[in-house]
Amino acid sequence: MKISWLLGVVTLVLIMSWVHGFEEWDVSEVNAASSVNPLLVGLTLIPSAADKGAVCLDGTLPGYHLHRGSGSGVNSWLIQLEGGGWCNDISTCVFRKKTRRGSSNLMEKVVEFTGILSNKPEENPGFYNWNRVKVRYCDGASFSGEGYNQAAGLFFRGQRIWTAAMEDLMSIGMHNADQALLSGCSAGGLASMLHCDEFRSLLPGTKVKCLADAGLFLDAVDVAGGHTLRSFFEGVVNLQGVSVNLPAACMNNMDATSCFFPQNLLAYIQTSLFLLNAAYDVWQLQESLATKRADPHGYWQECKLNNANCNSSQIQFLNGFRNQMLNSVKEFSLSKENGLFINSCFAHCQTERQDTWFAKDSPRLANKEIATSVGEWYFDQAGVQAIDCPYPCDKTCHNLVFSRNHH
């Protein structure tokens, strides 16, 4: 696939679904920077899930894509939890169940494995020959809901899907794992944090770590002084019965919505965790900080489309967001078991895209690519606590630039 680059910035046209003021937005589904002849992996449904009530929003079976490991990686497992937004009320969930994010009937039957899922050592040096799994996301609450709405025919079974997928993978070889990594991007990055300790408990005696890519969603104040994302997450948590699956230790100290925010979850995760995030996360810029409701006159529109169009006051506001992000991981970073890679880019999800995971011109901190940094951390070769200087100092970013018909 030929890629057109302009000043080191990749221009992506993202497919959006605007539903009742909130967009389902998933960068990981865009293959603008794919590898050459990427591996194609088929969808496997989980028949045993039905008896457990572990079904997608519309009641169809959940599934995953698996490419078996080989050689030294035959007993190593990488689980990637798919991202793709959330739904926070009946209408958005009814809409969602009619898409691949809510029904396995509508999922792609074959997907490309690129970036952290690639089977090529030159593209994925640390994990290329592992058993690599992409678990499909079809519940709308980061694999954590528990409930059912009979009137709307909505199954909120995210936690059961997680459990059914793990049980199925254990039955076909993951129980023999000598090392494992639970990963995820965006809503899947949040899911990897929510399930990190559960994953470790499945594999006693196994080296287990977790990676959250673009999952550090902040309880931030938007440009109008409101709390857009908190209001949205509150809907997700209450509608889908998420509270029963949140860490009890967190729930003893704060409300369920607060415990759904990663900045509050971090203190309760005991397993080694790597946080990969863009300090100027474009998803949060567009969907939390400067939504149409918060910015009805479009003052932020050009800045949202292209970071080069942001004026000094907008950059000052975004630097405040960056500072909040850095403050949220201060205690987390005190543990040398944990890893950090926070680059000052306008990006979102950097593990599944080949150009950002590992390539000749991929983003770097301390002159190390993301794949190199994650690998050194996972294999205990080096501690990784990489935090970038403020924008615009980083010249290795692949900043996302949107077309003018991006809504």
Side-chain angles (χ1 to χ4, degrees):
M1 179 182 293
K2 293 184 178 179
I3 306 168
S4 298
W5 293 92
L6 178 60
L7 300 177
V9 177
V10 61
T11 302
L12 302 178
V13 179
L14 300 174
I15 300 172
M16 316 289 289
S17 295
W18 184 268
V19 184
H20 297 280
F22 205 86
E23 290 171 321
E24 181 192 73
W25 192 82
D26 180 12
V27 175
S28 68
E29 69 189 6
V30 180
N31 291 316
S34 184
S35 62
V36 178
N37 299 319
L39 177 69
L40 301 177
V41 182
L43 176 65
T44 299
L45 297 180
I46 308 172
S48 62
D51 291 339
K52 303 166 185 173
V55 292
C56 299
L57 281 172
D58 70 338
T60 53
L61 292 174
Y64 56 78
H65 303 259
L66 163 66
H67 187 252
R68 289 285 190 173
S70 61
S72 61
V74 72
N75 287 322
S76 300
W77 288 75
L78 186 150
I79 310 299
Q80 180 84 345
L81 300 178
E82 185 180 31
W86 308 267
C87 58
N88 69 323
D89 56 30
I90 295 297
S91 59
T92 55
C93 290
V94 167
F95 176 88
R96 187 181 180 94
K97 80 172 186 175
K98 299 174 184 176
T99 74
R100 68 187 183 281
R101 298 287 185 239
S103 173
S104 58
N105 288 339
L106 300 172
M107 290 177 184
E108 309 92 327
K109 303 310 181 214
V110 175
V111 298
E112 295 182 358
F113 269 26
T114 59
I116 197 171
L117 295 173
S118 174
N119 65 328
K120 301 172 183 176
E122 66 271 21
E123 295 180 347
N124 187 24
F127 310 104
Y128 72 95
N129 65 345
W130 285 30
N131 297 281
R132 299 168 328 285
V133 184
K134 181 171 187 172
V135 182
R136 298 306 296 266
Y137 179 38
C138 64
D139 64 278
S142 288
F143 295 89
S144 63
E146 177 54 53
Y148 174 61
N149 185 289
Q150 185 175 4
L154 289 168
F155 295 84
F156 303 126
R157 301 289 173 77
Q159 179 70 32
R160 298 195 203 187
I161 291 172
W162 155 263
T163 301
M166 294 304 105
E167 288 177 350
D168 197 69
L169 294 171
M170 291 286 281
S171 73
I172 60 172
M174 194 169 73
H175 68 284
N176 291 321
D178 51 34
Q179 49 188 1
L181 176 64
L182 177 65
S183 180
C185 156
S186 195
L190 171 54
S192 71
M193 286 184 263
L194 288 166
H195 293 292
C196 185
D197 288 341
E198 286 180 74
F199 187 62
R200 187 185 62 170
S201 69
L202 287 173
L203 298 165
T206 301
K207 179 177 184 173
V208 173
K209 297 187 180 185
C210 304
L211 164 63
D213 176 13
L216 194 53
F217 298 99
L218 298 182
D219 187 4
V221 175
D222 62 35
V223 297
H227 288 83
T228 295
L229 193 55
R230 168 164 279 274
S231 297
F232 186 81
F233 272 4
E234 184 176 17
V236 175
V237 169
N238 291 338
L239 176 69
Q240 301 208 35
V242 171
S243 61
V244 297
N245 295 314
L246 294 172
C250 183
M251 291 290 288
N252 289 336
N253 291 290
M254 57 188 75
D255 63 272
T257 301
S258 296
C259 290
F260 198 63
F261 274 100
Q263 67 198 72
N264 300 320
L265 278 173
L266 291 176
Y268 302 98
I269 299 173
Q270 299 178 0
T271 306
S272 296
L273 173 66
F274 192 104
L275 294 177
L276 164 63
N277 229 92
Y280 306 90
D281 186 330
V282 290
W283 189 95
Q284 294 187 70
L285 169 58
Q286 297 188 12
E287 307 306 334
S288 172
L289 302 178
T291 62
K292 283 189 175 181
R293 180 172 294 181
D295 179 39
H297 302 297
Y299 173 73
W300 281 82
Q301 182 62 18
E302 292 302 313
C303 176
K304 290 195 298 183
L305 292 175
N306 187 339
N307 57 279
N309 297 330
C310 298
N311 61 38
S312 58
S313 64
Q314 289 169 331
I315 292 297
Q316 184 177 4
F317 179 89
L318 294 175
N319 278 332
F321 175 78
R322 171 183 177 270
N323 290 337
Q324 183 182 351
M325 183 178 292
L326 298 185
N327 286 334
S328 75
V329 299
K330 274 187 176 179
E331 185 174 341
F332 170 86
S333 66
L334 295 178
S335 170
K336 298 307 179 184
E337 297 295 314
N338 295 326
L340 277 175
F341 190 107
I342 298 181
N343 53 355
S344 291
C345 304
F346 285 75
H348 185 74
C349 287
Q350 300 180 86
T351 54
E352 291 183 13
R353 283 177 47 198
Q354 196 58 56
D355 67 293
T356 48
W357 174 245
F358 192 72
K360 289 182 179 179
D361 61 349
S362 58
R364 287 168 168 77
L365 287 180
N367 203 32
K368 292 180 181 179
E369 306 90 345
I370 294 170
T372 301
S373 299
V374 171
E376 290 185 350
W377 163 80
Y378 183 86
F379 296 109
D380 302 314
Q381 296 166 350
V384 180
Q385 304 276 335
I387 297 177
D388 213 349
C389 46
Y391 175 84
C393 70
D394 192 335
K395 306 305 180 185
T396 69
C397 288
H398 289 193
N399 293 321
L400 298 178
V401 178
F402 301 88
S403 66
R404 290 197 175 276
N405 42 350
H406 168 75
H407 300 293

